[in-house]
């Protein structure tokens, strides 16, 4: 039950608008009113009024559903892109991160992405494609399970074992392929390996045939400043170009850490010292050649 304080300041119409926009953002395509009712559990009348209001402000577009006479469906409008663009521009050191992401995609020909962690999911906030990009598993605004992605495991590795156990409990984790880690203790061992080598690896754990390498970047002092950066490729390319792809990822990581260390303001000495120490440790660590999962 909600507390009196929460009830005092609740705004049902605002909650409905937020949940409606999130439902449309997380859908694979346009949604009908019936589908939105099922997804959000709000009443038909409230949803319809909210859709009409959001439509007048460019957040939602109403269209005729193809092949179904008289039926309508809804998708996000251009105003939603403004909100997403503003969010991306608030990523710490956005210009540096975007430039590094683009360079990584161009150097390798693969898909490079940036994400943050929210509970058991990673939320993708940036993406750059290379000439070999074919597996569109992630996109900006997409959420994927942290335990089944290199991006998520790199971010989870920044937390201690107690925090991971509190997050997942001792139940079985959702399986997506035969390679998915479904046991929390096995996940803890995998995260320990990622901490030792300085990056996480995904080997057909979310989608068969997809591999990924990821590292993290503490771009500021706050928990919201923790970013994951990944490079995705096909299993075939990963097996052949394994060492070259990992070298490209580590080079990107080193360059970003050095850039962030240079950019720190004098008053932010603690984070600057942490970044400098991390960079020194990375430079002393030999690059492993064995494939980890």
């Amino acid at each position: 039950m909600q507390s009196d304080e929460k009830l005092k300041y609740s705004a049902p119409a605002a909650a409905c608008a937020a949940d409606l926009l999130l439902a449309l953002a997380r859908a694979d395509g346009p949604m009908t009113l019936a589908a939105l009712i099922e997804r959000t559990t709000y009443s038909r009348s409230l949803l319809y009024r909210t859709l009409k209001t959001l439509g007048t402000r460019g957040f939602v577009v109403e269209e005729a559903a193809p092949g179904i006479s008289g039926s309508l469906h809804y998708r996000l409008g251009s105003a939603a892109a403004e909100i997403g663009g503003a969010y991306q521009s608030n990523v710490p050191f956005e210009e540096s991160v975007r430039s590094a992401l683009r360079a990584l995609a161009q150097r390798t020909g693969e898909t490079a992405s940036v994400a943050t962690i929210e509970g058991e999911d990673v939320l993708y906030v940036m993406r750059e494609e290379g000439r070999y990009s074919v597996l569109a598993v992630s996109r900006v605004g997409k959420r994927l399970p942290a335990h089944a992605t290199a991006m998520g495991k790199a971010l989870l590795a920044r937390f201690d074992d107690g925090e991971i156990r509190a997050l997942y409990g001792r139940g079985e984790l959702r399986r997506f392929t035969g390679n998915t880690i479904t046991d929390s203790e096995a996940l803890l061992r995998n995260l320990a390996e990622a901490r030792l080598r300085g990056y996480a690896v995904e080997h057909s754990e979310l989608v068969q045939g997809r591999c990924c390498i990821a590292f993290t970047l503490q771009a500021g002092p706050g928990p919201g400043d923790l970013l994951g950066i990944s490079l995705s490729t096909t299993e075939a390319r990963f097996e052949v170009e394994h060492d070259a792809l990992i070298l490209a990822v580590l080079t990107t990581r080193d360059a970003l850490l050095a850039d962030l260390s240079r950019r720190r303001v004098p008053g932010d000495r603690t984070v600057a010292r942490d970044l400098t120490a991390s960079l020194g440790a990375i430079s002393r660590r030999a690059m492993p050649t064995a494939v980890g999962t």
Side-chain angles (χ1 to χ4, degrees), residues 113-116 122 124 146 149-156 200 202 212-216 227-230:
S113 306
V114 176
T116 60
V122 289
Y124 287 79
T149 60
M151 182 80 85
K153 291 190 291 182
L155 289 161
L156 289 172
E202 168 198 343
C212 189
I213 311 157
F215 65 92
T216 57
L227 306 176
I229 298 178
S230 71

Side-chain angles (χ1 to χ4, degrees), residues 26-48:
R26 294 169 182 174
D28 293 329
M31 299 181 70
T32 63
L33 182 59
L36 285 166
I37 292 171
E38 182 178 359
R39 181 72 59 85
T40 65
T41 72
Y42 289 105
S43 68
R44 176 180 293 270
S45 60
L46 178 57
L47 271 179
Y48 186 74

Side-chain angles (χ1 to χ4, degrees), residues 20-21 23-25 27-32 36 51 54-55 58-64 72-80:
L20 192 157
L21 290 171
L24 291 173
D28 293 329
M31 299 181 70
T32 63
L36 285 166
L51 284 165
L54 290 172
F59 283 98
V60 171
V61 174
E62 178 185 273
E63 298 174 324
L72 299 173
H73 64 200
Y74 302 87
R75 60 176 175 83
L76 290 178
S78 58

